[in-house]
Amino acid sequence: MSTYSLAVVGGDGIGPDVTQAALAGVQAAAHRYGFTVRTTIFDLGAERFLRTGMVIDENTISELREHDAILLGAVGDPRVAPGVLEQGLIVALRVAFAQSVNIRPVRLYPGIESPVRGVTPENCDLVVIRENTEGLYTGGGSLAHAGSGNAVAIQNSISTAAATSEAVDFAFQLAQARRRRVTLCHKTNILLHAGQLWQETVDRIAERYPDVEHDYVHADAMCQHLPLDPGRFDVVVTDNLFGDIISDLGATVQGGLGLAASANFNPRGSAPSMYEPVHGSAPDIAGKGWANPAAAALSAALCLAGLGEREAALSLETAVASVLAELPAFAGPEMGSDTAGLGHRIAERVSIVDPHRDGMGEKSLMSALGRLAGRSSLMSE
């Protein structure tokens, strides 16, 4: 019997509640498929920062490193200046654990209506692969003469061949396990130097995957194509900033940020990957039980896939989708149940769903990621 150690960072606002609800589904999947999950709670987030003045220390990073994966609920609190927790915790862990690939599925599940006319479960199933440690998110820059009419801000963007290649190669691996199409999204007509690096990297790596098609779309054009024709895309690979923006657009297409999952993935397996819902901490509804745990549970399903537990991941995803299809609303008291109650329903459903019904499992990102999870490293350049 396999045993996995999960570091659990509930974080702020609704984060602890949705994470606990998601863990109920994880434990149900573990019971069904015969493995064990052991969890360790880590006190990280606004409360720790306000209490100690420190977001995270090296000892805590070392302790996190000993785990197989990290589940993160949310960070963000109005008492803490913007960027302190986001840069100090999330970005810091992405860099410390070489989580070079951000995985954002954009999938419309049966029974859920997209706010975009014409989008159906049949034509909305893509994945945005975002380089996760570089670009404008490296934090370099300066602000001179702040607060004056002569203020000058400089924000550095850094792209390296190593990180770009890792993200692109993972995108091709994933596409090979899915529908065999990779789309590079960038602004090569304006960001000439970074754009050239990305395009040359895609062209070079594509030679190793002759059965995978690849094309290109400008980032601004993607904002039109994605909502109007999501079926055009299979795996989209892009830089850190563009990926942040277009994946949120994708979340709207699939039904809203409250349903969007993500993974901060270490494709080499050299450190734990981190899985988190996209919706944020929502401090205005914290403690009310109005938060839908679906995105946290889908992120936990990605975690199971990343650990190689493909069938467990598919069952948790299928359970979440089936519960979502029954809800009269996706958030607030109108859901008809509170956060913990929905977590319990998802966990119960995990035990009985057929993840391969109607081919749902074969179409899922969970299947493709589960197939890749056994690889300890990317193919060498």
Side-chain angles (χ1 to χ4, degrees):
M1 176 185 292
S2 298
T3 298
Y4 303 103
S5 60
L6 295 188
V8 179
V9 181
D12 305 319
I14 63 173
D17 291 340
V18 297
T19 302
Q20 286 304 311
L23 282 171
V26 170
Q27 295 294 357
H31 179 76
R32 177 174 178 178
Y33 291 99
F35 58 92
T36 301
V37 174
R38 295 176 180 167
T39 60
T40 304
I41 305 296
F42 282 81
D43 174 25
L44 295 169
E47 292 297 340
R48 171 175 168 155
F49 174 75
L50 293 170
R51 187 174 66 248
T52 68
M54 181 178 296
V55 178
I56 193 169
D57 57 42
E58 288 300 323
N59 286 339
T60 304
I61 291 176
S62 296
E63 292 173 11
L64 287 167
R65 188 181 294 275
E66 296 303 312
H67 291 74
D68 295 309
I70 303 167
L71 293 184
L72 172 64
V75 296
D77 188 294
R79 296 171 295 172
V80 179
V84 171
L85 297 171
E86 294 83 355
Q87 286 280 351
L89 183 60
I90 297 177
V91 174
L93 290 178
R94 289 172 178 171
V95 173
F97 296 149
Q99 295 166 352
S100 60
V101 172
N102 185 277
I103 305 172
R104 284 285 298 270
V106 179
R107 184 178 186 186
L108 181 64
Y109 291 104
I112 298 174
E113 185 176 352
S114 170
V116 182
R117 185 177 61 187
V119 175
T120 68
E122 289 70 35
N123 69 5
C124 184
D125 178 18
L126 62 127
V127 185
V128 178
I129 298 300
R130 162 189 170 193
E131 193 289 313
N132 208 33
T133 60
E134 295 187 343
L136 283 166
Y137 289 65
T138 53
S142 63
L143 177 61
H145 312 298
S148 76
N150 296 316
V152 177
I154 299 174
Q155 195 76 46
N156 297 333
S157 179
I158 298 174
S159 298
T160 67
T164 302
S165 296
E166 195 157 79
V168 170
D169 192 70
F170 182 83
F172 273 90
Q173 289 186 49
L174 191 62
Q176 193 171 52
R178 283 172 50 89
R179 302 198 308 276
R180 302 187 176 186
R181 181 184 306 158
V182 169
T183 298
L184 169 61
C185 175
H186 210 279
K187 281 290 290 182
T188 56
N189 59 336
I190 297 296
L191 304 178
L192 302 181
H193 307 299
Q196 180 177 348
L197 174 63
W198 274 88
Q199 187 65 67
E200 289 179 350
T201 301
V202 168
D203 292 342
R204 172 170 48 83
I205 290 178
E207 294 178 0
R208 297 208 304 264
Y209 300 89
D211 56 340
V212 178
E213 300 177 8
H214 70 284
D215 62 0
Y216 172 84
V217 63
H218 286 318
D220 45 354
M222 172 65 78
C223 293
Q224 177 181 10
H225 295 312
L226 178 55
L228 294 179
D229 186 17
R232 168 179 173 175
F233 304 105
D234 176 20
V235 177
V236 177
V237 64
T238 186
D239 87 336
N240 212 336
L241 178 61
F242 295 143
D244 197 359
I245 294 169
I246 66 172
S247 58
D248 278 3
L249 175 60
T252 299
V253 174
Q254 74 178 102
L257 279 176
L259 309 181
S262 77
N264 301 286
F265 196 68
N266 177 322
R268 288 169 283 177
S270 60
S273 297
M274 182 168 63
Y275 303 84
E276 59 174 317
V278 177
H279 51 56
S281 61
D284 56 320
I285 62 169
K288 295 182 178 180
W290 292 355
N292 190 328
L298 290 170
S299 299
L302 280 174
C303 176
L304 292 176
L307 292 171
E309 295 292 347
R310 176 175 173 268
E311 292 299 313
L314 287 169
S315 291
L316 181 50
E317 179 188 31
T318 305
V320 174
S322 68
V323 170
L324 282 173
E326 299 167 355
L327 297 182
F330 291 145
E334 296 81 9
M335 290 189 299
S337 180
D338 64 9
T339 307
L342 288 177
H344 182 67
R345 283 174 62 180
I346 291 169
E348 286 186 329
R349 201 68 56 87
V350 167
S351 302
I352 60 174
V353 292
D354 177 3
H356 299 285
R357 175 181 54 84
D358 300 328
M360 182 173 178
E362 285 67 27
K363 295 193 295 183
S364 174
L365 165 65
M366 308 301 169
S367 292
L369 184 58
R371 294 189 193 108
L372 298 180
R375 302 184 184 184
S376 60
S377 64
L378 292 173
M379 296 177 66
S380 59
E381 285 288 285

